[in-house]
Amino acid sequence: MKVFKFGGASVKSAEGVINLSKIISDKLEKGDIVVVSAMGKTTAGLEEMAFKVLAGNNQYVADFESIRIYHQEIVESLFGQQPEHVAVAGQIDELFDKLSFTLRAERTAGDRAFLDLVLSYGEILSTSIVAVYLQHQQMAVQWKDIRKYIRTDGQYGAARVDWVPTINGIQTGLASEDKIVVTQGYIASTSAGETTTLGKEGSDFTAAIIARACGAEGVTFWKDVPGVYNADPKSQPDATPYQMLSYRQVVEMTYYGAKVIHPKTMRPLAESGIPLHVRSFLEPELPGTMITGEAEEDDSSQMIFKHNQVLVSFKIINLEFISEHNIGLIFYTFDRLGIQTNIIQSSATSCTFAFDFDEDRLEKLLEALADKFSMYFNKGLTLATFGNVADEVIETYLAGTEVYLRQASRTKVRVLYKALQ
Ligand code: ADP
Ligand code: MG
């Protein structure tokens, strides 16, 4: 069986849903599973609304209305003239009534469980609309709530999968022998039945979890780009797509900051050798990129930019050398605060690290290590990773920037810089 995953951009409009239905009717059969994200920018909208609710800001009502109207309009264009329209519109209204009730219920400030529950509505709404539309197109389709099958711990916002019950649950409950299953990405639940989410962009990961549990023959991600490129094609127009990549190459690219596939996706696929195909829902006739265990090593050029970095330098206060003990202390603190370093450099009496800027974490870091180190930081930096790119070309990218740090290996040059206005 196969697993297809459609991201938010693919279902941002009624035309998107119609296009998805054509792809599915051409390529899937009973027993296959389709994972669908929230429509368009719904997750961001729900998040903004939930923050207003938590801050006691009544403006959230306007956000709620705009999310509701957005979905109603898609339902209207899909079913407006059809006899099913009343039933589908009623089903969507019911979901919005439930959401409205959730928003008005009692809760404590900073309630992460509340946030995840609100966010889950994006996927529930989108899959409900898509499933009914496919049924309406005479396809044998079954809607399923993935929260019954993917079990996680209670780390809301970035819950960790509990693999044994998850694999069991998917094998016994999710797969269907006589229908195509449509289900949600990104969301899951604890053993107590509380809704959790798998981290931003987590739908890619959901598709990999399902594929792994079912021993799928392959997974296809349908995106708004025709594959994985050697640079983000939206900001680098001359970027070119890869035909083949290995799991490891993709893991490296995501580490350097390529935002095309969720980093957690590759491990479950690699563990069971399931190929991942990345294709364009806009140009489904194009071949896309195949990701497997055995793509040959590649020496073509590659460019990845990771923005919004902060560089923190630690200088030992009492003129000791930087020792394993000191570095250990810094790493221990990073781990405790959930900071992931993107580049590291050390010298005799100092060491520097760059990571994704997060005000709260940075403050806690400075506080935790103040008695041992004097620390300096610089915000608003970009970390560029150039693979097999000629020095002259790198220099053109760095013209008019201030370089803070530069590292070179045999094939890669990594530069942390600030763009000057
Ligand atoms: P989805 O809708 O499936 O979640 P994403 O928006 O997460 O899709 O991923 C697709 C986007 O990733 C593209 O629109 C593209 O701008 C961006 N992107 C960043 N780096 C790359 C790359 N190296 N190759 C292809 N796309 C990339
Ligand atoms: Mg994504």
Side-chain angles (χ1 to χ4, degrees):
M1 54 80 68
K2 298 191 277 292
V3 178
F4 275 10
K5 182 242 148 177
F6 289 87
S10 69
V11 287
K12 67 171 189 222
S13 64
E15 294 72 52
V17 176
I18 295 167
N19 181 53
L20 168 151
S21 108
K22 286 191 188 123
I23 293 176
I24 290 179
S25 74
D26 267 7
K27 302 184 197 304
L28 290 189
E29 49 197 42
K30 59 188 185 181
D32 293 335
I33 299 180
V34 184
V35 173
V36 185
S37 304
M39 293 177 150
K41 308 240 178 287
T42 301
T43 306
L46 288 167
E47 189 175 49
E48 206 174 302
M49 176 180 76
F51 282 137
K52 285 184 188 158
V53 173
L54 288 172
N57 176 349
N58 277 331
Q59 299 287 318
Y60 82 83
V61 178
D63 297 355
F64 178 85
E65 278 310 310
S66 84
I67 296 170
R68 183 157 73 154
I69 290 168
Y70 170 63
H71 287 86
Q72 279 172 341
E73 283 178 354
I74 291 177
V75 168
E76 181 70 32
S77 339
L78 290 172
F79 300 98
Q81 310 303 324
Q82 314 297 331
E84 289 83 354
H85 182 218
V86 178
V88 184
Q91 193 187 339
I92 298 309
D93 281 348
E94 222 168 87
L95 286 170
F96 277 102
D97 288 346
K98 270 171 88 178
L99 174 57
S100 166
F101 182 78
T102 302
L103 297 175
R104 286 179 282 113
E106 287 285 318
R107 79 188 65 79
T108 51
D111 189 341
R112 288 279 345 183
F114 165 75
L115 191 56
D116 279 7
L117 180 58
V118 171
L119 293 178
S120 72
Y121 277 85
E123 269 67 17
I124 298 291
L125 283 160
S126 111
T127 51
S128 301
I129 296 172
V130 166
V132 179
Y133 183 74
L134 296 175
Q135 288 159 354
H136 184 59
Q137 298 306 108
Q138 313 306 325
M139 281 182 243
V141 160
Q142 170 84 49
W143 180 90
K144 295 241 182 182
D145 188 337
I146 196 71
R147 292 174 295 185
K148 292 206 180 104
Y149 312 107
I150 298 186
R151 269 296 142 275
T152 66
D153 65 7
Q155 254 203 53
Y156 297 99
R160 276 180 302 221
V161 174
D162 197 350
W163 282 97
V164 173
T166 296
I167 289 182
N168 245 320
I170 291 173
Q171 284 175 350
T172 53
L174 183 70
S176 161
E177 273 164 27
D178 57 352
K179 289 197 173 140
I180 295 173
V181 169
V182 170
T183 195
Q184 307 77 36
Y186 180 54
I187 63 176
S189 86
T190 64
S191 55
E194 298 269 0
T195 298
T196 53
T197 59
L198 300 174
K200 285 241 154 71
E201 299 287 318
S203 293
D204 292 348
F205 185 34
T206 302
I209 295 169
I210 293 173
R212 160 93 208 268
C214 297
E217 71 201 64
V219 181
T220 306
F221 288 176
W222 295 93
K223 300 205 177 241
D224 62 354
V225 282
V228 178
Y229 280 61
N230 65 339
D232 184 347
K234 289 214 177 123
S235 50
Q236 308 285 322
D238 55 354
T240 53
Y242 292 103
Q243 279 184 341
M244 307 263 289
L245 282 170
S246 68
Y247 300 124
R248 183 173 295 276
Q249 285 169 318
V250 174
V251 168
E252 281 185 16
M253 286 179 76
T254 60
Y255 173 78
Y256 294 134
K259 286 209 169 73
V260 59
I261 294 174
H262 190 281
K264 282 189 182 165
T265 310
M266 301 321 294
R267 190 170 162 186
L269 297 181
E271 276 172 356
S272 21
I274 299 169
L276 170 62
H277 201 172
V278 180
R279 300 178 71 175
S280 163
F281 61 80
L282 298 167
E283 296 170 285
E285 64 288 350
L286 295 181
T289 303
M290 260 330 247
I291 301 159
T292 62
E294 62 221 80
E296 66 252 43
E297 278 313 303
D298 161 88
D299 57 1
S300 65
S301 65
Q302 186 176 79
M303 276 183 231
I304 300 169
F305 297 89
K306 206 165 167 46
H307 300 291
N308 203 18
Q309 299 295 295
V310 56
L311 179 70
V312 183
S313 301
F314 297 79
K315 275 200 163 54
I316 303 251
I317 288 172
N318 57 14
L319 278 191
E320 282 172 51
F321 289 148
I322 278 284
S323 66
E324 283 65 21
H325 174 75
N326 291 318
I327 293 184
L329 191 64
I330 295 171
F331 273 117
Y332 170 77
T333 313
F334 284 164
D335 186 46
R336 185 166 63 77
L337 297 175
I339 293 173
Q340 284 177 19
T341 57
N342 297 324
I343 192 164
I344 301 170
Q345 186 149 297
S346 75
S347 68
T349 60
S350 79
C351 54
T352 54
F353 304 85
F355 48 89
D356 295 359
F357 176 67
D358 176 310
E359 184 111 51
D360 184 47
R361 290 199 167 110
L362 179 61
E363 244 168 52
K364 288 191 175 128
L365 175 71
L366 299 179
E367 206 180 282
L369 294 172
D371 58 339
K372 199 79 176 120
F373 304 92
S374 43
M375 288 167 278
Y376 309 86
F377 67 90
N378 271 287
K379 298 191 288 190
L381 306 179
T382 295
L383 177 59
T385 302
F386 300 96
N388 297 305
V389 177
D391 287 343
E392 310 85 77
V393 177
I394 295 179
E395 289 322 312
T396 63
Y397 278 92
L398 299 179
T401 69
E402 185 182 358
V403 172
Y404 282 70
L405 194 160
R406 185 179 187 120
Q407 282 180 1
S409 68
R410 199 170 49 80
T411 56
K412 285 204 165 53
V413 176
R414 308 191 71 203
V415 188
L416 189 71
Y417 64 85
K418 185 179 264 176
L420 299 175
Q421 268 79 42

